Amino acid sequence: MTRVLITGAGRGIGAACVLAYAGSGARLALADLCAPEATAQQARAAGAADVLSCGCDVADSSAVTGMVRQVEAAFGGLDILIHCAGIIHEAPLLETPVADFDRVIAVNLRGSFLVGQAAIGLMHKAGSGRVILIASDMAYYGRETFSPYVASKHGVLGLTRSWAKEFAPTILVNAICPGPIDTEMLGAAHMSPEWREKELAIPLARFGQPAEVAHLALFLGGPGGAYITGQGLGTNGGSIMP
């Protein structure tokens, strides 16, 4: 039975990934800053074979180590990591405090490193696994007033490519690069009207849904993803066409 760790599981893309994998009968470990009990209940109702709920700050190395030890103790190992935990920050460069830059890098890039390192450690012992990180379409084209976020997600792509080469052929490592997805993080309270207007200028002229990202994560973790590694795959409505 597939054992899956999903971070950022309390809402948005992470919660959608939980429900997608719950429907396949997986054993799920869910992590968020606070233990995502509501999502855990939904996962059980959706058919998950087993659910572990953990609180974890992904930027805290000791917290990440403790979380992965919980997963190992509960499930005996790990088959798939889907690392969705992340934050966003919008501000002009000259109005961005260093503390805000540091926090975005800590959560998005350091967090990806710490969680990936710990999860791959489990997978490496078993000789197999899949790692799916969440990057962003902005990592490819840049974006004014988002420099800390863009830098962090560009770094996530760097981790993806490096780990894919280092651990091939036993562990497959890929990133999903969403475009504008209709989540709480991108709600009107967080993002400027100017940002929203520009994002809706993409070919599909709408925000994506978290479930549309989760479907790709489910594919990458399954048989269809068996010959894919080191890639940044877009669910972006045509925002970029590499």
Side-chain angles (χ1 to χ4, degrees):
M1 200 170 293
T2 306
R3 301 160 296 182
V4 186
L5 168 60
I6 302 174
T7 68
R11 62 179 186 172
I13 292 171
C17 289
V18 169
L19 295 181
Y21 273 88
S24 71
R27 303 179 74 187
L28 298 176
L30 317 182
D32 213 311
L33 199 54
C34 296
E37 293 297 339
T39 310
Q41 291 178 11
Q42 293 173 352
R44 294 183 185 102
D50 195 4
V51 181
L52 172 69
S53 179
C54 311
C56 180
D57 179 353
V58 298
D60 183 329
S61 60
S62 60
V64 170
T65 299
M67 173 189 66
V68 173
R69 283 177 179 166
Q70 277 186 271
V71 174
E72 184 177 25
F75 296 164
L78 183 64
D79 302 304
I80 299 171
L81 165 67
I82 306 174
H83 179 58
C84 301
I87 59 175
I88 197 165
H89 179 78
E90 179 187 15
L93 173 63
L94 300 183
E95 299 172 17
T96 301
V98 173
D100 289 343
F101 174 85
D102 288 345
R103 181 58 180 163
V104 172
I105 296 297
V107 174
N108 294 359
L109 185 53
R110 175 184 167 89
S112 295
F113 174 83
L114 292 174
V115 176
Q117 183 184 52
I120 288 172
L122 278 187
M123 296 173 183
H124 188 57
K125 288 192 292 185
S128 65
R130 307 277 178 96
V131 174
I132 302 164
L133 305 178
I134 302 297
S136 170
D137 63 344
M138 291 191 203
Y140 287 102
Y141 65 79
R143 188 60 178 271
E144 67 276 16
T145 73
F146 285 90
S147 55
Y149 180 77
V150 171
S152 70
K153 294 301 186 178
H154 198 77
V156 169
L157 289 178
L159 295 178
T160 299
R161 292 161 180 154
S162 295
W163 294 346
K165 289 187 175 182
E166 184 172 352
F167 293 98
T170 56
I171 300 172
L172 309 183
V173 186
N174 291 289
I176 296 176
C177 301
I181 306 298
D182 190 12
T183 65
E184 292 178 30
M185 190 169 75
L186 299 189
H190 295 82
M191 311 304 293
S192 68
E194 293 79 12
W195 180 89
R196 298 176 71 85
E197 182 179 355
K198 285 184 178 180
E199 290 300 303
L200 288 174
I202 62 176
L204 294 193
R206 67 172 177 86
F207 283 1
Q209 296 301 310
E212 294 174 308
V213 182
H215 291 323
L216 179 53
L218 188 62
F219 173 82
L220 287 172
Y227 197 58
I228 303 172
T229 197
Q231 304 302 305
L233 302 171
T235 49
N236 57 42
S239 62
I240 58 169
M241 299 183 183

